[in-house]
C-alpha cells in the first residue's frame, strides 16, 4: 500500500520548492505540504539522500499512517523508506526477526504467522512500517500486558546526521530518545524484534455492552488482568444517563485445542479480507451528528449484551478498518483530526469531564476507543503512561474544533496527562513541556547528535522539538 498523498493545495509557498516536489499529508489528510521525495533501495542510497537534503533537512516516512504532520517536511526532503523492505533473518526457534525498517507489520504477519509467531504489539492498522512503529513507539490493545513496541526491540541500526550507522540497544540514551522520537534522531534502517508465540491465527473474543462510562471503567478495572487484549468502543454522542455507553471487546490468541475441526486444517493461515475502496470523492458533511448518531445507535444496539469465546480472524479483531482501503476518504476533502490523550489512574474525574464535554459539544465521532495503559516504557517522548487513553476521530471542518481541542489540551495537561504526537496535527508548543517531562533531555540529545537539525519535520517545527 502506497504512502498517503494529497492533491489539494499545499501550505508551503512555491518559491524555492523543486518542480518535482510532491504534496504529502498524514492519514488525516489535513495540511498538505510539498517536499522532494527520495525512495532509497539501499542503506547507501539513504545516506546519500540525507547528505544531499539541503537547508530544509529531511525526515523518514513509511506508509503515511501518522495522522498529522510527523512525516512531512515543507520545502525539504522526505525519505520514503518502503523500498527498504527485506526480512533478513527469522530465528523460528528463538522467536527473533531481523528486518529492514520499511517492512510493514502486514508483511511480518504474512511471513511469521505460518511459523507460529506474531508481532508483539500492533496498533489498529497493520499497514505501518517497523521504522514507523519504533519512531512512534506504537501501542495496541495489549499495552496493559505487553507495553509498547519498543519494549520488544532488541536493537536497531540508526543512520545519524554525521553519516554514521550506529547499532542502538535498550538502556542507552539514544535508544530512549529514538523510541517515540518521531524520526528526529536519525533514520532507522533495520531492527531486531522479539516475537510472540501463538498456536493459531484466530482470536477467542468476549464481547459485552456497558451502560455508561462508570460501568465501563468498573468492568475494565475488575477484569482486564484476565485478557491479553482489551478495547472499548464508546458512543461519544450519547448523553445523560447513557453518557459513555460502550461495547467492550477483549480476547486472546485461540489455542489449537479450542478450534473446530475445519479450522484445524490450517490453524495458522493468515487470510485478511478486503472490501471495496472508499470513493475518492465523498460529500462534505456526510459524517455529521445525525448520520454518526444513527450509526452509533445501531452499532450499540447490534452488539451482544454478552458473548464469550467467539472465534475471529486476527484481521477482524485487530484491524477491521484495513479491510476498507483508503477509509480515511469518508471524511471528505477536509480530512479529519484524530485526538488521543492519556490521563493517569486517579484522574478518572478528568476523563468523565472530558467525555461529557465531547458529548455536549456533539462531536460526530464514530471511531472512539478507550483503553487502559500499563507501565510506560523509557522512551523520552513515548506516549503511554499508566492510565486511561481515549482516541477519537473528528471531521477537521467542524466549527470551533481548534479552540475546543485547545481547551481539552489544557485539561489533559493539568491532570498530568499527554497527547499522542503520532496522531497530532494541531497541538500548541506551550503545553508540550508539561505533557512530556523529558522533553528537555530529548532536545539536548538531539542537539548533540544533530546540531544542524538535518532531521526535521513539519511536526518538529510546529512544536519546536
Amino acid at each position: 500500500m502506497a504512502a498517503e498523498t494529497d492533491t489539494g493545495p499545499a501550505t508551503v509557498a512555491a518559491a524555492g520548492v523543486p518542480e518535482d516536489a510532491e504534496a504529502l499529508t498524514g492519514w488525516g489528510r489535513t495540511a498538505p505540504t510539498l517536499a522532494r521525495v527520495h525512495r532509497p533501495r539501499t542503506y547507501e542510497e539513504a545516506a546519500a539522500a540525507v547528505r544531499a537534503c539541503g537547508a530544509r533537512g529531511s525526515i523518514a516516512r513509511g506508509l503515511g499512517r501518522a495522522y498529522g504532520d510527523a512525516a512531512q517536511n515543507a520545502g525539504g526532503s522526505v525519505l520514503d523508506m518502503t523500498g527498504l523492505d527485506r526480512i533478513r533473518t527469522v530465528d523460528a526457534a528463538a522467536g527473533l526477526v531481523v528486518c529492514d525498517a520499511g517492512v510493514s507489520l502486514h508483511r511480518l504477519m504474512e511471513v511469521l504467522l505460518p511459523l507460529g509467531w506474531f508481532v508483539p504489539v500492533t496498533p489498529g492498522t497493520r499497514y505501518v512500517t517497523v521504522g514507523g512503529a519504533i519512531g512512534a513507539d506504537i501501542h495496541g490493545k495489549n499495552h496493559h500486558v505487553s507495553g509498547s513496541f519498543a519494549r520488544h526491540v532488541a536493537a536497531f541500526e540508526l543512520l545519524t546526521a554525521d553519516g554514521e550507522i550506529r547499532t542502538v540497544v535498550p538502556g542507552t540514551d539514544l535508544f530512549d530518545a529514538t523510541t517515540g522520537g518521531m524520526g528526529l534522531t536519525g533514520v532507522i534502517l533495520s531492527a531486531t524484534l522479539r516475537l510472540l508465540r501463538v498456536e493459531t491465527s484466530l482470536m477467542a473474543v468476549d464481547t459485552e455492552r456497558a451502560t455508561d462510562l462508570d460501568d465501563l471503567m468498573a468492568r475494565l478495572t475488575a477484569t482486564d488482568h484476565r485478557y491479553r487484549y482489551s478495547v472499548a468502543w464508546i458512543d461519544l454522542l450519547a448523553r445523560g444517563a447513557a453518557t459513555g455507553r460502550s461495547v467492550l471487546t477483549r480476547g486472546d490468541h485461540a489455542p489449537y485445542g479450542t478450534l473446530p475441526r475445519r479450522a484445524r486444517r490450517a490453524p495458522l493461515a493468515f487470510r485478511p479480507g478486503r472490501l471495496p475502496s472508499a470513493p475518492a470523492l465523498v460529500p462534505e458533511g456526510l459524517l455529521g451528528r445525525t448520520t454518526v448518531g444513527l450509526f452509533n445507535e445501531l452499532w450499540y444496539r447490534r452488539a451482544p449484551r454478552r458473548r464469550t469465546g467467539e472465534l475471529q480472524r486476527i484481521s477482524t479483531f485487530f484491524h477491521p478498518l484495513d479491510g476498507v482501503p483508503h477509509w480515511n476518504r469518508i471524511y471528505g476533502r477536509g480530512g479529519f483530526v484524530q485526538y488521543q490523550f492519556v490521563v493517569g489512574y486517579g484522574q478518572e474525574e478528568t476523563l468523565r469531564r472530558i467525555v461529557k464535554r465531547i458529548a455536549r459539544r456533539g462531536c460526530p465521532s464514530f471511531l472512539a476507543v478507550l483503553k487502559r495503559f500499563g507501565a510506560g516504557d523509557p522512551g523520552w517522548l513515548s506516549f503511554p503512561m499508566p492510565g486511561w487513553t481515549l482516541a477519537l476521530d473528528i471531521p477537521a471542518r467542524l466549527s470551533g474544533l481548534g479552540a475546543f481541542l485547545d481547551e481539552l489540551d489544557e485539561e489533559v495537561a493539568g491532570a498530568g496527562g499527554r497527547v499522542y504526537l503520532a496522531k497530532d496535527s494541531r497541538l500548541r508548543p506551550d503545553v508540550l513541556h508539561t505533557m512530556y517531562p523529558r522533553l528537555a533531555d530529548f532536545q539536548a540529545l538531539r542537539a548533540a547528535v544533530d546540531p544542524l537539525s538535518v532531521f526535521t519535520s513539519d511536526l518538529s517545527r510546529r512544536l519546536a522539538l
Side-chain angles (χ1 to χ4, degrees):
M1 180 174 289
E4 179 73 6
T5 61
D6 195 291
T7 57
T11 58
V12 64
V17 177
E19 291 183 2
D20 58 350
E22 300 177 26
L24 299 173
T25 182
W27 193 245
R29 306 179 78 221
T30 59
T33 54
L34 293 171
R36 173 175 282 163
V37 179
H38 300 273
R39 295 178 170 85
R41 305 289 298 187
T42 65
Y43 296 173
E44 292 76 17
E45 289 180 5
V50 170
R51 288 195 298 270
C53 67
R56 294 287 289 183
S58 187
I59 195 71
R61 181 182 178 94
L63 287 165
R65 290 303 181 104
Y67 284 78
D69 52 4
Q72 300 170 216
N73 183 23
S77 74
V78 168
L79 271 66
D80 181 336
M81 298 296 290
T82 56
L84 286 164
D85 59 355
R86 290 166 293 180
I87 296 178
R88 294 176 173 268
T89 62
V90 177
D91 186 335
L96 291 171
V97 61
V98 181
C99 63
D100 286 348
V103 172
S104 70
L105 299 191
H106 173 83
R107 179 60 181 151
L108 287 181
M109 292 176 197
E110 286 184 322
V111 172
L112 298 173
L113 266 172
L115 302 176
W117 296 100
F118 189 61
V119 294
V121 171
T122 178
T125 175
R126 60 187 179 274
Y127 293 111
V128 296
T129 61
V130 168
I134 295 171
D137 198 15
I138 60 171
H139 58 271
K141 298 177 175 68
N142 60 339
H143 190 275
H144 62 293
V145 173
S146 302
S148 52
F149 197 85
R151 188 178 299 185
H152 309 276
V153 176
F156 57 80
E157 289 185 295
L158 185 73
L159 171 65
T160 49
D162 57 6
E164 181 181 350
I165 297 177
R166 309 186 189 195
T167 299
V168 185
V169 297
T172 63
D173 285 352
L174 190 54
F175 187 94
D176 293 342
T178 302
T179 54
M182 306 310 296
L184 297 174
T185 60
V187 179
I188 298 168
L189 298 174
S190 69
T192 302
L193 310 178
R194 291 184 289 268
L195 306 170
L196 175 69
R197 170 72 80 179
V198 296
E199 296 181 21
T200 75
S201 60
L202 294 173
M203 305 296 297
V205 181
D206 294 351
T207 305
E208 59 190 275
R209 289 193 302 202
T211 57
D212 58 29
L213 184 60
D214 285 341
D215 182 28
L216 172 63
M217 289 194 292
R219 291 172 189 248
L220 286 168
T221 301
T223 62
D224 241 14
H225 64 280
R226 303 176 190 169
Y227 298 89
R228 180 178 293 273
Y229 303 100
S230 180
V231 66
W233 168 87
I234 297 187
D235 180 0
L236 288 179
L237 287 178
R239 301 174 64 175
T243 299
R245 66 178 181 177
S246 313
V247 179
L248 176 57
T249 307
R250 295 175 288 189
D252 208 334
H253 299 276
Y256 177 81
T258 65
L259 300 190
R261 182 172 299 176
R262 173 180 290 184
R264 295 186 186 188
R265 298 173 187 168
L268 290 166
F270 180 53
R271 302 189 185 100
R274 286 173 74 86
L275 297 172
S277 178
L281 296 177
V282 177
E284 296 294 337
L286 178 64
L287 293 183
R289 294 182 182 91
T290 301
T291 53
V292 173
L294 178 61
F295 171 88
N296 288 0
E297 182 70 27
L298 293 173
W299 190 261
Y300 181 77
R301 296 293 179 187
R302 72 182 292 272
R305 292 185 181 276
R306 181 168 179 79
R307 181 174 61 202
T308 61
E310 179 191 14
L311 292 178
Q312 294 183 4
R313 292 179 178 180
I314 274 177
S315 56
T316 301
F317 181 77
F318 289 107
H319 315 118
L321 286 174
D322 281 347
V324 184
H326 302 291
W327 64 262
N328 56 340
R329 293 173 179 170
I330 65 176
Y331 290 89
R333 288 186 62 82
F336 68 99
V337 171
Q338 172 138 139
Y339 185 71
Q340 183 170 4
F341 68 89
V342 58
V343 292
Y345 296 123
Q347 292 293 332
E348 286 76 12
E349 190 54 41
T350 300
L351 177 63
R352 292 187 187 97
R353 283 198 305 270
I354 290 176
V355 169
K356 289 178 181 177
R357 290 186 65 177
I358 293 170
R360 287 197 303 267
R361 182 69 171 71
C363 294
S365 176
F366 74 93
L367 295 174
V369 297
L370 182 75
K371 297 191 291 278
R372 281 166 51 93
F373 280 160
D377 288 289
W380 294 344
L381 296 186
S382 183
F383 168 66
M385 56 180 274
W388 303 92
T389 180
L390 178 65
L392 60 151
D393 291 350
I394 313 172
R397 293 186 178 180
L398 187 68
S399 177
L401 178 61
F404 177 68
L405 293 181
D406 285 346
E407 293 173 2
L408 296 191
D409 291 341
E410 296 288 347
E411 188 148 8
V412 168
R418 58 185 61 145
V419 167
Y420 192 14
L421 297 183
K423 295 184 176 179
D424 175 59
S425 59
R426 29 71 44 205
L427 185 69
R428 299 194 323 267
D430 55 290
V431 296
L432 200 62
H433 281 273
T434 302
M435 292 181 172
Y436 288 90
R438 301 297 302 271
L439 178 61
D441 294 327
F442 174 82
Q443 291 170 322
L445 184 140
R446 185 183 174 213
V449 300
D450 185 8
L452 300 178
S453 295
V454 170
F455 299 110
T456 303
S457 65
D458 292 353
L459 173 80
S460 69
R461 291 191 188 95
R462 175 169 56 83
L463 293 179
L465 290 173

